[in-house]
């Protein structure tokens, strides 16, 4: 009993310490976004601003094209999230609950795709995107991420936890596979759907390399690419105040989405065997 009473405060203390260390970069970025550019250059390592100012955010929202970059990111994120919910859910359900030829090979391909680095396939993806006529379009930016292998894996693992008896009862009552999928499986897979929503949104929202390659004009820039392009001041000097303010704007939607879906996210992760 004494060991447990001592171990628990130590565990909580270690978790609090890890949480504080994780928060340090966010605190520094927030502090930097509230400082003037001259103050950032004079003392880059300061944790607290000497004079709080919102000038960086004002300049950011007044930057030409910022609104378009924001809208482009939202559109791409919505397409990617919707694609993952529909395509990954259907693929995961099929891999878990349906019997068909090549099922093991298909699941092996999903697992292999999770292990392949993006840098080894982005040239092929770009060639295919150009051949389809989707270069310099939001569709071309979103298309390769509409069914992420990790999303398929999460849905497949969660589908394994759904009782087969429930699906068989629906089949006996005359329900087809599409009706079972949309009316029975998807409502039960809410935690897994929330998990892939957060992960696919985060992947799309923070993606930089692929939009940079596909977007050949500023009209197709997403927020990370647009901020990187506009943060260069005269003589190619980086405007760090603008970059830090942009980092806060990029992080906020992800934090808000996670706060709303965190309960379902934890349930989804715990229900997929990713423990």
């Amino acid at each position: 009993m004494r060991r447990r009473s001592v171990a628990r405060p130590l565990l909580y203390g270690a978790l609090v310490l890890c949480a504080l260390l994780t928060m340090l970069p966010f605190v520094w970025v927030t502090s930097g976004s509230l400082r003037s550019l001259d103050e950032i250059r004079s003392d880059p390592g300061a944790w607290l601003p000497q004079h709080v100012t919102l000038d960086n955010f004002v300049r950011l929202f007044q930057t030409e094209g910022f609104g378009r970059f924001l809208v482009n990111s939202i559109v791409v994120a919505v397409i990617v999230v919707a694609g993952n919910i529909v395509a990954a859910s259907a693929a995961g359900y099929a891999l878990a609950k349906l019997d068909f030829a090549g099922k093991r090979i298909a699941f092996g391909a999903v697992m292999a795709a999770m292990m392949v680095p993006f840098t080894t396939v982005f040239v092929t993806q770009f060639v295919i995107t150009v051949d389809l006529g989707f270069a310099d379009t939001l569709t071309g930016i979103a298309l390769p991420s509409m069914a992420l292998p990790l999303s398929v894996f999460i849905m497949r693992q969660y589908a394994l936890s759904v009782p087969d008896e429930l699906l068989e009862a629906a089949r006996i009552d005359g329900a087809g596979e599409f009706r079972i999928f949309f009316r029975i499986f998807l409502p039960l897979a809410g935690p897994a759907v929330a998990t892939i929503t957060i992960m696919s949104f985060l992947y799309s929202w923070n993606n930089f390399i692929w939009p940079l390659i596909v977007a050949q004009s500023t009209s197709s820039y997403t927020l990370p690419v647009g901020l990187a392009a506009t943060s260069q001041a005269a003589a190619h000097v980086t405007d760090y105040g603008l970059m830090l303010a942009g980092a806060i704007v990029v992080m906020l939607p992800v934090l808000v989405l996670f706060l709303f879906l965190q309960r379902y996210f934890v349930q989804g992760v715990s229900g997929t065997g990713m423990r």
Side-chain angles (χ1 to χ4, degrees), residues 138-152:
L138 299 184
T139 303
I141 296 175
L143 188 61
S145 306
M146 290 179 64
L148 296 172
L150 180 59
S151 298
V152 177

Side-chain angles (χ1 to χ4, degrees), residues 28-44 46 48-57 59 238-242 244-245:
W28 185 85
V29 170
T30 304
S31 173
S33 67
L34 300 175
R35 302 164 65 194
S36 65
L37 182 59
D38 292 337
E39 187 178 336
I40 294 174
R41 290 175 177 173
S42 62
D43 190 7
L48 295 175
Q50 297 178 359
H51 303 286
V52 177
T53 177
L54 297 176
D55 180 63
N56 294 322
F57 292 95
R59 291 189 299 112
T238 303
D239 190 337
Y240 292 105
L242 199 66
L244 294 174

Side-chain angles (χ1 to χ4, degrees), residues 8 25 30 58 61 67 71 83 90 98 111 117 125 141 149 163 176 182 204 226 271:
R8 181 167 294 181
T30 304
V58 173
F61 283 95
V71 171
L98 301 181
M111 297 299 294
Q125 287 186 353
I141 296 175
F182 286 105
S204 170

Side-chain angles (χ1 to χ4, degrees), residues 7 12 31 33 43-44 46 50 65 76 87 103 116 124 141 152 157 166 172-173 180 199 204 222 238 244 246:
Y12 288 162
S31 173
S33 67
D43 190 7
Q50 297 178 359
V76 171
K103 178 178 177 178
V116 176
T124 305
I141 296 175
V152 177
Q157 295 301 104
L166 181 62
I172 293 174
D173 289 339
I180 292 173
M199 289 186 172
S204 170
T222 56
T238 303
L244 294 174

Side-chain angles (χ1 to χ4, degrees), residues 137-210:
T137 64
L138 299 184
T139 303
I141 296 175
L143 188 61
S145 306
M146 290 179 64
L148 296 172
L150 180 59
S151 298
V152 177
F153 174 78
I154 290 174
M155 293 304 301
R156 187 258 184 186
Q157 295 301 104
Y158 194 88
L160 291 175
S161 66
V162 177
D164 292 334
E165 294 78 6
L166 181 62
L167 306 182
E168 288 297 331
R171 294 189 181 101
I172 293 174
D173 289 339
E177 291 299 332
F178 283 100
R179 185 176 180 183
I180 292 173
F181 174 73
F182 286 105
R183 299 293 296 274
I184 297 177
F185 174 70
L186 277 185
L188 293 175
V193 171
T195 302
I196 65 174
T197 296
I198 293 175
M199 289 186 172
S200 58
F201 180 86
L202 181 63
Y203 181 89
S204 170
W205 192 258
N206 292 338
N207 197 0
F208 177 79
I209 298 297
W210 180 248

